[in-house]
Amino acid sequence: MTTVQVLQEQLRHLRMTETANELPVLLRNAETKSWTYQEFMQEILMFEVNRREEKNVEKRLKLARFPYHKTLDEFNIEEQESLSKRQLNQLRELNWLEQQYNIILLGPPGAGKTHIGIGLGVEAIQKGYKVAFSSMGELVHLLKTEEYIRKSQMQLKRIKESDLVIIDDLMYLAMDQREANLFFHLINHLYERSSIILASNKGPEEWVELMGDQGITTAILDRILHRVEVIQLNENDSYRLKHRFM
């Protein structure tokens, strides 16, 4: 084995696999740029740190279970008159997440609620937070099958341990009393532990009709609305339809 190969094996033994693979390139750069020993060591460690963080971000993105990848930079703020660029930038600073505030995104189908929710989730992941995404229909299914399906148990455990939980299509379908009760227990668990983003086409004042239980609805609202920012997206032409063929 060459000296470089020995060094690569030693790096792999130290679980610095990415640096081991990149070592020949780093050595060439050190020679051509006349790095000092200190500069060379700094480059090696910085490379390893950056790659580990990139892999952690990739892992958190996968665990979030987004239906698709969208960023806030891809959102055309000019077509959403009810949300200013300044407001969007304030949201992406994530001060609300640090303070465990919730966000409710209200608006008709296609107004960009899901895009904004996913975009904020991606921002949070890039800053080191654990994020979980679920549609309301999928979430109800997980809650109803948690007792006897291992996969549901694992997914709900991940949701409960997340710093940010994004629930899409909230109140899109009516719930029976058991479903509403299970949902309450989840919200109660997340209360003051995590931030929640809720995307819905119906305002909180309409939720009782779909949950069918005034007491449960009030208990859920008490926890969600304790610290919340409500964002009403306008009812102009559907953002989704405008961008369908782009």
Side-chain angles (χ1 to χ4, degrees), residues 90-122:
Q90 286 179 328
L91 288 174
R92 76 190 306 169
E93 289 175 355
L94 303 183
N95 292 328
W96 54 272
L97 180 53
E98 294 174 7
Q99 299 172 25
Q100 294 182 335
Y101 266 70
N102 301 319
I103 292 178
I104 298 179
L105 299 169
L106 297 177
K113 302 185 300 296
T114 304
H115 187 153
I116 292 174
I118 291 175
L120 289 171
V122 170

Side-chain angles (χ1 to χ4, degrees), residues 19-38:
T19 301
N21 296 335
E22 189 71 9
L23 185 60
V25 174
L26 291 169
L27 286 169
R28 284 196 298 271
N29 288 339
E31 291 174 359
T32 58
K33 297 179 182 179
S34 299
W35 287 343
T36 64
Y37 296 130
Q38 183 174 324

Side-chain angles (χ1 to χ4, degrees), residues 189-215:
H189 175 86
L190 296 174
Y191 179 57
E192 295 196 312
R193 286 190 179 94
S194 311
S195 287
I196 307 171
I197 294 179
L198 303 173
S200 177
N201 64 345
K202 296 183 184 297
E205 67 280 358
E206 301 177 82
W207 293 1
V208 66
E209 299 176 15
L210 294 166
M211 289 189 185
D213 188 299
Q214 179 71 51

Side-chain angles (χ1 to χ4, degrees), residues 23-122:
L23 185 60
V25 174
L26 291 169
L27 286 169
R28 284 196 298 271
N29 288 339
E31 291 174 359
T32 58
K33 297 179 182 179
S34 299
W35 287 343
T36 64
Y37 296 130
Q38 183 174 324
E39 288 172 333
F40 182 52
M41 180 62 71
Q42 185 177 20
E43 288 293 327
I44 286 178
L45 295 177
M46 186 59 67
F47 179 84
E48 181 68 24
V49 168
N50 289 340
R51 282 302 297 135
R52 287 190 182 191
E53 180 53 30
E54 288 170 7
K55 292 182 77 171
N56 285 336
V57 168
E58 291 169 5
K59 180 180 179 181
R60 290 194 295 269
L61 283 170
K62 183 177 180 180
L63 290 174
R65 298 174 63 87
F66 294 126
Y68 48 80
H69 185 89
K70 285 288 185 181
T71 67
L72 294 180
D73 289 332
E74 297 173 279
F75 187 79
N76 191 343
I77 194 67
E78 304 299 328
E79 296 186 5
Q80 188 50 254
E81 297 176 357
S82 58
L83 185 66
S84 70
K85 186 175 182 179
R86 179 174 175 273
Q87 289 174 309
L88 190 63
N89 287 335
Q90 286 179 328
L91 288 174
R92 76 190 306 169
E93 289 175 355
L94 303 183
N95 292 328
W96 54 272
L97 180 53
E98 294 174 7
Q99 299 172 25
Q100 294 182 335
Y101 266 70
N102 301 319
I103 292 178
I104 298 179
L105 299 169
L106 297 177
K113 302 185 300 296
T114 304
H115 187 153
I116 292 174
I118 291 175
L120 289 171
V122 170

Side-chain angles (χ1 to χ4, degrees), residues 150-188:
R150 176 65 176 165
K151 185 177 179 181
S152 296
Q153 294 170 4
M154 292 176 63
Q155 290 185 26
L156 280 171
K157 182 176 185 293
R158 175 181 51 80
I159 289 171
K160 291 175 181 178
E161 292 176 350
S162 294
D163 302 301
L164 173 61
V165 178
I166 305 168
I167 304 174
D168 198 30
D169 292 331
L170 183 74
M171 302 299 120
Y172 188 73
L173 297 172
M175 287 190 249
D176 60 33
Q177 187 170 13
R178 177 171 177 259
E179 292 168 344
N181 190 54
L182 289 171
F183 183 56
F184 162 73
H185 284 294
L186 174 63
I187 296 298
N188 190 52

